[in-house]
Amino acid sequence: MASAITTLAGDAPTLSSANTGFMLICSALVMLMTPGLAFFYGGMVRVKSTLNMLMMSFISLGIVTILWVLYGFSVAFGTDSGSLFGWSSEYVGLSGIGLTELWDGYTIPVYVFAVFQLMFAVITPALISGALADRVKFTAWALYITLWASIVYFPVAHWVWGTGGWLFEMGVIDFAGGTAVHINAGAAALGVILVIGKRVGFKKDPMRPHSLPLVMLGAGLLWFGWFGFNAGSWLGNDDGVGAVMFVNTQVATAAAMLAWLAYEKLRHGSFTTLGAASGAVAGLVAITPSGGSCSPLGAIAIGAIAGLLCAMAVGLKYRFGYDDSLDVVGVHLVGGVVGSLLVGLFATGGVQSDAKGLFYGGGLDQLGKQAVGVFSVLAYSLIASAILALVIDRTMGMRVSEDDEVSGIDQVEHAETAYDFSGAGGGISSRTTAAAPAPTQNTKVDA
C-alpha cells in the first residue's frame, strides 16, 4: 500500500479526476473478487455444500461493509494510538469527511480511499471460509466474521498500512496485502480448524470438486479483479509504479501456474484444471506484497517459487492431520509468507522505494524486517483466531451436527439446494440422480 507523501504547502496535491476514476474502477474490481472467490470455493466442494460455500463469502459483503463504515476505517486508518490501532472521530460512520477532502498526500478523496480499503476488508475474512467447508453453522460464521474483523483485521491493517502503525514505521514492505490479507487469513484459517476439527470422512471419503468449470470461472474472476487489488494499491498513476505492479501481477501468476502444473505432472502424472487454478491463485498471493519492489524477472522467480512451494504445501494436511478443506493454509498462508519474505531477496530499490534486497546489494536488513512482519502477523492472527473460535464453539457451537453435515449443510442451513434435478428427466431416475452422492475436492491423498 502506498505510504503517505510529505509535501510543502505550496505543492499540496489537488483532486485528480483521472486518479479518482481509476481508483473507483479498482475498488469495483476488488469487490468482484469476493463473488469470484465464492465461485472458486463453491466449485471445489461437494454439491450438498455449494450454497453454503457461496454464502460464506457473500455474507462478508454485508457484515464487513457495515462494520467498516461504523468504526473499521477509523481503527485501521485513523490517528495512531500506541502504534497498535488508530482512531479518528470524523471517520466514525464516515460522517465527518468533506465531499472533496483528499487522502493525506494524494490526489483522491478520502471517500475513495475508504471504499477501496473496504473491499480489502471484505475479502479477507471470506478467504478463511474455504478451510471450514461443510461443517460450520452459518450464524456462528457470521458472528465469527464480526469479531475477527474487529479484533484482528482492523488492527493488523493499521500495523501494516496505517501511518504510525508499528510495522509500517519499521519499514516492512507489503504493497497490497501479503501480511495484512493473506498471512492474516491463512493463519486464522489454521487457528479455527485446529479448534473445530475435521470433516466427517476426512481422508476416508472422496471429496473432489463437484464443478471444475465453476472453479475455473472463480479463478478467472480473481485473476481479473486482482489487477485492481494490486495495481490500485499505489493509489494513482502519476509515477509508473502501479503499471509495474500490473505487469508483475500477470507475470508472477503465469509463472506460478506453470510451476504448479510442472510439479503436479512430475508428482501425480497429470496436468489438472484444479492445479492450474490453484497455481494461479498462489502466484497472485505471492506477488501481492512483493510486486511493487521487484522487476518482472524477479516476479517470474517469485511466482515460480510460490507455485512450487504451495503445490508441495497442500499435501501437508494429510501428513499432519489438520483438515484445511480447500487449501487456504497451503495457498494463502504459505504463498503470503513466501511472497513477503522474498521482498528481502528481490527488492531492486528502484520501484516503490529505495529498499534493496539481498540479491541487489541490500544485505539482510530488509529480509529481517520482512520476517518480523510475517511472523508477528501470523502469530497474532493464529492465536486470536483460535481463541475467538473456541469462545464461539463453547457458547453457541461452531459446527452443525454430524447428521446435518452428512445429509447436507445447504438444506440444513439455507433450506435450498444448488441444483434442481426435478426437471432433469422426470420419474424415479430423476429422483435417484438427485439423491446420488456427489464428489468434492480433487486433492490427492499422498500414500
Side-chain angles (χ1 to χ4, degrees):
M1 194 64 57
S3 59
I5 299 173
T6 302
T7 58
L8 299 175
D11 298 325
T14 58
L15 190 148
S16 166
S17 58
N19 285 340
T20 298
F22 170 72
M23 290 306 302
L24 288 173
I25 291 171
C26 287
S27 300
L29 286 172
V30 181
M31 181 272 166
L32 183 65
M33 291 173 67
T34 299
L37 181 72
F39 284 123
F40 182 68
Y41 283 166
M44 283 201 285
V45 295
R46 288 169 284 187
V47 168
K48 63 183 181 180
S49 304
T50 306
L51 295 180
N52 181 253
M53 202 71 260
L54 295 172
M55 282 292 289
M56 289 178 81
S57 288
F58 265 79
I59 194 63
S60 188
L61 283 162
I63 292 173
V64 179
T65 296
I66 301 304
L67 297 180
W68 188 254
V69 171
L70 293 178
Y71 58 83
F73 182 59
S74 183
V75 172
F77 292 100
T79 302
D80 178 67
S81 179
S83 298
L84 296 177
F85 59 89
W87 190 260
S88 296
S89 58
E90 66 269 24
Y91 293 163
V92 176
L94 302 184
S95 58
I97 302 171
L99 189 63
T100 58
E101 180 183 344
L102 299 183
W103 185 242
D104 188 25
Y106 292 91
T107 60
I108 61 173
V110 175
Y111 275 119
V112 174
F113 179 76
V115 78
F116 180 67
Q117 283 296 325
L118 162 62
M119 302 310 173
F120 281 66
V122 165
I123 196 171
T124 305
L127 291 171
I128 303 169
S129 66
L132 318 179
D134 299 332
R135 59 201 190 274
V136 175
K137 293 178 182 176
F138 192 67
T139 50
W141 173 244
L143 177 59
Y144 180 81
I145 285 179
T146 302
L147 297 175
W148 189 85
S150 302
I151 296 171
V152 180
Y153 181 79
F154 299 157
V156 169
H158 182 76
W159 297 359
V160 175
W161 293 320
T163 301
W166 72 279
L167 293 177
F168 178 88
E169 297 300 331
M170 181 185 291
V172 174
I173 293 175
D174 186 352
F175 194 94
T179 53
V181 176
H182 297 291
I183 293 174
N184 205 3
L190 181 59
V192 177
I193 58 182
L194 291 177
V195 170
I196 67 171
K198 308 173 183 66
R199 288 169 290 178
V200 175
F202 176 63
K203 294 203 291 187
K204 297 177 182 178
D205 297 338
M207 295 182 177
R208 295 182 292 272
H210 88 278
S211 176
L212 286 168
L214 277 186
V215 174
M216 296 298 281
L217 172 63
L221 290 173
L222 284 169
W223 194 334
F224 176 66
W226 223 292
F227 290 116
F229 194 84
N230 281 357
S233 288
W234 198 240
L235 308 184
N237 283 311
D238 297 326
D239 57 7
V241 174
V244 172
M245 185 56 169
F246 194 108
V247 171
N248 285 345
T249 298
Q250 176 68 17
V251 167
T253 306
M257 180 179 67
L258 295 176
W260 187 301
L261 288 173
Y263 172 82
E264 194 173 54
K265 177 65 174 177
L266 292 173
R267 183 73 175 83
H268 301 297
S270 58
F271 303 112
T272 69
T273 51
L274 182 61
S278 299
V281 173
L284 290 164
V285 170
I287 202 62
T288 290
S290 57
S293 58
C294 68
S295 69
L297 288 177
I300 292 175
I302 290 168
I305 293 168
L308 176 62
L309 293 181
C310 290
M312 297 170 66
V314 297
L316 295 177
K317 62 185 179 183
Y318 299 110
R319 180 174 300 177
F320 295 108
Y322 60 90
D323 186 7
D324 175 18
S325 306
L326 307 182
D327 301 321
V328 178
V329 176
V331 174
H332 293 278
L333 178 57
V334 173
V337 169
V338 169
S340 297
L341 291 178
L342 288 181
V343 171
L345 302 181
F346 289 100
T348 65
V351 191
Q352 74 175 94
S353 72
D354 59 4
K356 293 183 178 181
L358 179 64
F359 295 164
Y360 290 83
L364 296 173
D365 181 60
Q366 191 61 44
L367 181 61
K369 293 177 182 179
Q370 296 303 119
V372 171
V374 164
F375 294 109
S376 59
V377 171
L378 193 162
Y380 177 69
S381 183
L382 176 66
I383 295 169
S385 301
I387 292 172
L388 289 175
L390 185 62
V391 170
I392 295 173
D393 193 48
R394 293 292 176 85
T395 52
M396 64 183 296
M398 281 285 284
R399 294 188 63 149
V400 298
S401 69
E402 183 173 328
D403 287 344
D404 288 344
E405 182 180 335
V406 171
S407 64
I409 197 170
D410 283 359
Q411 190 66 54
V412 171
E413 292 290 303
H414 307 290
E416 298 171 307
T417 56
Y419 304 100
D420 180 5
F421 296 103
S422 61
I428 296 175
S429 62
S430 172
R431 291 193 292 274
T432 302
T433 302
T440 180
Q441 194 176 3
N442 192 28
T443 304
K444 296 185 179 179
V445 179
D446 293 332

